[in-house]
């Protein structure tokens, strides 16, 4: 993964990769009948984001000798590349130093409740019990996290680990190096069109059909195939079909997240679950250019409307915050924080805010009144909201309006200059996809594992339920990516 891409260049190259996949209208061959294999590898991984690269590296560490990763875009990294990078885990080292009591059981209970108990309890248990192990595994590869944890937007509890490098750069750097050191082949510009099973709905998965340089190629997997191609947030038809409420919203993910790999799994018997559960997060309102964020640390940032009124508990579930923002007359809000909070964010996000100021989509000022005037928000209303927040809610540790918890009411908004940006909503995460089990095996409609077919990351459904906890997506990639890779490598060579 290359760390020097800017968002615009990433999206441009991603669009080219999406066009490549869309243009590949070749004949389908879900069964192996008549297939002539062009090449063979032990483990074939589809997708080079966090889940795919974790699967490949773990497969090599487990003993597989010949592993290939196919990525349809022109660069590696997937949505992990542009993710904010926060990763949840009950941490026996960091949290006690901050006086935070936590456990995998607490993490599990909160994750299940946040998803309205529609997530698979067994997979959620595996996710949470292996969370700290995922942190230490990444650290063993050279990943650096900061010494403190925070509660990020939608995380519901202070257990979010902060990468030392901005966004997904740290994950990409260590995983790419590990893949290279372990002899894993990573090939970009290659779209997967079909999963090949012995028979269309019976027997083991034998390999995949890919499109390389415009031509179909059949790749045999002598051990297993791992699907890690992400969700379908980039597929406007699918996302609006499953949740019409997102009509008119864009997505902050790469346009390559179009869902065709999940559909290929369906054509060999995989069963989709949770497709209606689609998450939106703060981004650019309609008609605005930039996704700007000042809400990472919910302690010390607030959401207000155009009248300067606070609209929601900033530490609430992501779907609650979405509904509050879209429920304003303007269908957008603003995030406001002080300079201490602003300076706690990484340089990439601070730079984005400065770019936003140039086009009047973000603002800074020495006083709240001047800030409100620049924002086009009622100055008296915003001053009243900030004063009440500081002098009543933070002082008393109680939020009578929206119920923000005391742990997130310790930071006053008082140290200028002050900062603000637009807060609209964009489609961010799709919680639906092929159903899997705790071994990361893809399941059919009867709950039977499809032999030699694994999946991990956002492509899968059934883990997060109706609403994903902030910081659990990156965790999902690295917990179940490892599980998929290890189990794929343990399959006997066929």
């Amino acid at each position: 993964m290359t760390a020097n891409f800017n968002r615009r260049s990433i999206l441009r190259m991603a669009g080219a990769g999406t066009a490549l996949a869309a243009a590949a209208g070749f004949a389908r061959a879900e069964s192996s009948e008549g297939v002539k294999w062009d090449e063979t590898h032990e483990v074939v991984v589809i997708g080079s984001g966090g889940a795919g690269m974790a699967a490949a590296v773990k497969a090599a560490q487990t003993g597989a000798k010949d592993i290939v990763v196919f990525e349809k875009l022109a660069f590696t990294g997937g949505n992990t590349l542009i993710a904010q990078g926060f990763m949840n885990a009950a941490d026996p080292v960091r949290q006690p130093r901050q006086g935070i009591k936590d456990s995998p059981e607490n993490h599990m209970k909160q994750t299940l409740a946040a998803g309205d108990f529609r997530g698979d309890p067994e997979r959620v248990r595996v996710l949470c019990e292996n969370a700290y192990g995922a942190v230490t595994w990444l650290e063993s590869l050279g990943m650096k996290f900061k010494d403190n944890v925070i509660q990020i937007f939608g995380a519901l509890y202070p257990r979010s680990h902060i990468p030392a490098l901005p966004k997904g750069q740290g994950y990409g750097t260590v995983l790419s190096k590990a893949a290279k050191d372990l002899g894993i082949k990573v090939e970009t510009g290659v779209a997967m069109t079909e999963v090949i099973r012995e028979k269309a709905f019976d027997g083991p998965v034998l390999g995949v059909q890919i499109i390389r340089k415009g031509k179909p190629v059949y790749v045999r997997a002598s051990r297993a195939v791992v699907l890690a191609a992400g969700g379908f947030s980039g597929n406007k038809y699918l996302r609006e079909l499953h949740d019409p409420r997102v009509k008119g919203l864009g997505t902050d993910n790469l346009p390559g997240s179009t869902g065709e790999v999940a559909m290929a799994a369906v054509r060999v018997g995989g069963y989709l679950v949770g497709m209606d559960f689609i998450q939106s997060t703060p981004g650019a309102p309609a008609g605005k250019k930039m996704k700007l964020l000042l809400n990472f640390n919910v302690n010390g940032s607030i959401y207000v409307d155009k009248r300067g009124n606070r609209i929601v508990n900033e530490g609430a579930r992501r779907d609650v915050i979405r509904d509050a923002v879209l429920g304003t007359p303007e269908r957008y809000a603003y995030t406001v924080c002080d300079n201490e909070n602003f300076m706690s964010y990484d340089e990439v996000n601070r730079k984005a805010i400065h770019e936003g100021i140039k086009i009047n989509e973000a603002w800074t000022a020495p006083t709240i009144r001047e800030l409100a005037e620049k924002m086009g928000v009622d100055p008296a209303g915003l001053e009243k909201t900030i004063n009440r927040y500081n002098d009543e809610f933070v002082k008393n540790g109680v939020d009578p309006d929206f119920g923000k918890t005391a742990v997130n009411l310790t930071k006053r908004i008082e140290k200028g200059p002050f900062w603000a940006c637009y807060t609209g909503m964009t489609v961010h995460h799709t919680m639906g996809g092929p159903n899997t089990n705790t071994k990361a095996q893809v399941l059919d409609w009867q709950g039977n594992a499809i032999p030699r077919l694994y999946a991990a990351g956002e492509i899968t459904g059934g883990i997060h339920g109706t609403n994903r906890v902030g910081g659990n997506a990156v965790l999902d990639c690295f917990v179940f990516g490892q599980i998929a890779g290890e189990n794929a490598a343990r399959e006997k060579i066929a």
Side-chain angles (χ1 to χ4, degrees):
M1 180 187 297
T2 302
N4 293 323
F5 289 124
N6 61 41
R7 187 175 181 85
R8 187 171 297 173
S9 67
I10 289 170
L11 293 173
R12 183 172 59 250
M13 289 186 288
T18 305
L20 178 152
F26 294 94
R28 293 174 178 170
E30 293 91 358
S31 75
S32 63
E33 184 178 353
V35 169
K36 181 180 178 181
W37 300 107
D38 297 296
E39 59 187 78
T40 298
H41 305 277
E42 290 181 33
V43 177
V44 175
V45 179
I46 306 302
S48 68
M53 294 301 286
V57 169
K58 191 66 174 184
Q61 291 178 332
T62 305
K65 303 298 182 186
D66 182 4
I67 303 162
V68 63
V69 179
F70 292 123
E71 168 58 58
K72 79 174 182 180
L73 300 181
F75 53 90
T76 61
N79 280 326
T80 306
L81 177 65
I82 60 172
Q84 297 307 320
F86 300 105
M87 178 173 165
N88 288 339
D91 189 320
V93 178
R94 291 172 177 84
Q95 287 176 307
R97 289 200 300 247
Q98 296 175 240
I100 301 168
K101 294 182 179 180
D102 201 7
S103 66
E105 291 75 17
N106 188 40
H107 188 185
M108 176 185 173
K109 289 178 181 178
Q110 291 175 338
T111 296
L112 286 171
D116 294 316
F117 300 96
R118 298 293 295 274
D120 176 5
E122 291 306 309
R123 278 183 286 167
V124 173
R125 180 178 296 281
V126 169
L127 178 76
C128 299
E129 287 182 347
N130 289 277
Y132 186 63
V135 171
T136 57
W137 179 72
L138 287 162
E139 289 176 328
S140 75
L141 300 177
M143 181 70 187
K144 302 293 184 185
F145 293 98
K146 294 185 179 180
D147 292 334
N148 64 305
V149 297
I150 62 172
Q151 179 178 330
I152 66 160
F153 159 70
L156 308 180
Y157 201 77
R159 62 169 68 93
S160 306
H161 290 64
I162 311 166
L165 291 177
K167 296 184 177 287
Q169 293 179 17
Y171 301 117
T173 299
V174 300
L175 288 168
S176 294
K177 182 180 184 301
K180 182 178 180 180
D181 292 345
L182 291 165
I184 297 167
K185 182 180 180 182
V186 181
E187 191 173 347
T188 58
V190 175
M192 192 213 83
T193 51
E194 296 299 338
V195 175
I196 311 299
R197 195 171 179 181
E198 187 175 56
K199 297 180 181 179
F201 295 102
D202 192 27
V205 164
L206 303 179
V208 299
Q209 182 193 62
I210 62 171
I211 305 301
R212 178 189 285 139
K213 296 181 179 179
K215 296 181 179 180
V217 177
Y218 290 99
V219 181
R220 181 171 174 266
S222 62
R223 292 189 189 271
V225 171
V226 179
L227 306 180
F232 59 92
S233 60
N235 187 318
K236 183 176 183 293
Y237 170 75
L238 277 183
R239 70 185 189 235
E240 293 184 3
L241 171 69
H242 286 284
D243 189 350
R245 295 174 302 172
V246 306
K247 187 173 182 179
L249 302 184
T251 179
D252 58 1
N253 289 330
L254 295 176
S257 301
T258 45
E260 70 274 8
V261 173
M263 299 306 116
V266 171
R267 291 193 289 273
V268 295
Y271 190 75
L272 300 177
V273 294
M275 294 292 286
D276 292 351
F277 305 145
I278 297 174
Q279 186 172 78
S280 298
T281 57
K288 304 302 178 183
K289 296 180 179 180
M290 294 186 69
K291 175 182 178 177
L292 300 170
L293 300 172
L294 289 170
N295 66 324
F296 299 131
N297 193 343
V298 302
N299 192 357
S301 62
I302 61 171
Y303 298 98
V304 299
D305 63 16
K306 201 165 184 65
R307 290 141 292 281
N309 297 323
R310 187 162 161 259
I311 61 171
V312 72
N313 169 7
E314 294 77 16
R317 288 171 32 156
R318 289 186 171 186
D319 54 349
V320 172
I321 294 173
R322 173 202 63 201
D323 293 345
V325 170
L326 295 180
T328 65
E330 298 79 18
R331 283 177 62 83
Y332 64 80
Y334 307 82
T335 308
V336 179
C337 71
D338 72 0
N339 198 55
E340 187 172 88
N341 245 23
F342 177 74
M343 293 306 296
S344 73
Y345 298 145
D346 64 55
E347 61 269 25
V348 171
N349 286 291
R350 295 200 306 270
K351 181 179 178 181
I353 293 296
H354 283 291
E355 291 298 315
I357 289 172
K358 295 177 183 177
I359 59 173
N360 200 38
E361 293 187 9
W363 308 271
T364 187
T367 68
I368 292 295
R369 175 165 285 272
E370 290 176 81
L371 183 72
E373 290 170 349
K374 288 184 177 181
M375 295 164 63
V377 167
D378 177 40
L382 186 59
E383 282 185 326
K384 180 179 178 181
T385 293
I386 297 290
N387 289 338
R388 184 166 178 247
Y389 183 85
N390 290 337
D391 298 337
E392 296 182 28
F393 301 174
V394 176
K395 180 180 179 180
N396 299 323
V398 177
D399 173 11
D401 292 351
F402 299 107
K404 193 171 186 175
T405 59
V407 71
N408 289 317
L409 284 171
T410 65
K411 175 71 180 65
R412 295 169 64 90
I413 303 173
E414 63 179 356
K415 296 182 179 179
F418 300 93
W419 303 81
C421 65
Y422 280 119
T423 297
M425 281 288 148
T426 56
V427 175
H428 181 65
H429 194 279
T430 51
M431 278 77 78
N435 195 26
T436 57
N437 60 18
T438 57
K439 296 180 180 179
Q441 295 170 298
V442 176
L443 305 180
D444 65 17
W445 68 280
Q446 294 179 308
N448 299 315
I450 298 175
R452 300 180 185 268
L453 183 62
Y454 296 85
E458 192 181 349
I459 193 173
T460 62
I463 295 176
H464 303 290
T466 62
N467 172 70
R468 179 180 63 78
V469 171
N472 272 4
V474 171
L475 176 64
D476 182 14
C477 288
F478 293 121
V479 168
F480 283 101
Q482 285 188 78
I483 290 171
E486 181 174 352
N487 288 329
R490 294 190 187 282
E491 295 277 8
K492 293 182 180 180
I493 290 181

